Amino acid sequence: MRRGLIALVLCAAFSCVGCAVQAHEGVLDTGGESQLKLRQMQTRHFDTTDKQKLMECVLATLQDLGFVIDSASYELGTVSATKLSGYQIKMTVNAFPRGKTQMTVRANAQYQMYPIQDPQPYQQFFDALSKSLFLQANLDE
């Protein structure tokens, strides 16, 4: 009984050592400047207040880029989609008001479980979204 208790205590102690975080490695460390650059790549502001049309353009843009829509919520302003060609990319797009005359769109792309830090997928998405919004606005006139 005593040996079993000692073995249990030693196992618990060794398992905690493997999970230790160094003092200089902040658990909530966001990478500072690199996180700011990533957020700038992921975010665009559009001169519209029509959330419905914006969300429709987001859906159409993702589909045009080869994504399959996983889920969408107009109320939350979120769309999740997956692109399976070549390698699996998951993109989540959020749309929310910015002041009284603009909407903010933020796209988060992931490969496996890691955020994509290459600007190319974000540029491609936002270029296509801008064109879609422009065409939509001109069709309505």
Side-chain angles (χ1 to χ4, degrees), residues 11-76:
C11 286
F14 285 123
S15 66
C16 290
V17 170
C19 298
V21 175
Q22 298 296 326
H24 66 277
E25 296 176 17
V27 173
L28 299 177
D29 188 14
T30 60
E33 188 176 324
S34 65
Q35 184 66 24
L36 178 62
K37 286 181 183 178
L38 180 61
R39 186 64 70 192
Q40 288 173 340
M41 287 188 291
Q42 295 173 329
T43 308
R44 295 288 185 282
H45 308 290
F46 294 96
D47 293 326
T48 184
T49 56
D50 193 339
K51 184 178 178 182
Q52 179 73 35
K53 287 187 180 171
L54 179 65
M55 293 296 291
E56 289 171 3
C57 287
V58 166
L59 287 166
T61 299
L62 287 169
Q63 289 174 333
D64 288 347
L65 294 173
F67 284 85
V68 175
I69 305 301
D70 298 323
S71 64
S73 171
Y74 170 76
E75 292 80 21
L76 298 175

Side-chain angles (χ1 to χ4, degrees), residues 94-137:
N94 297 300
F96 49 91
R98 180 181 190 230
K100 294 183 180 185
T101 61
Q102 290 186 322
M103 294 288 289
T104 296
V105 175
R106 181 168 296 142
N108 295 301
Q110 292 181 334
Y111 173 66
Q112 294 177 346
M113 294 300 288
Y114 300 98
I116 295 177
Q117 297 185 7
D118 178 20
Q120 192 268 338
Y122 300 109
Q123 289 171 347
Q124 185 180 20
F125 170 73
F126 284 118
D127 287 347
L129 180 60
S130 294
K131 290 175 187 173
S132 179
L133 287 167
F134 176 78
L135 291 172
Q136 182 69 37

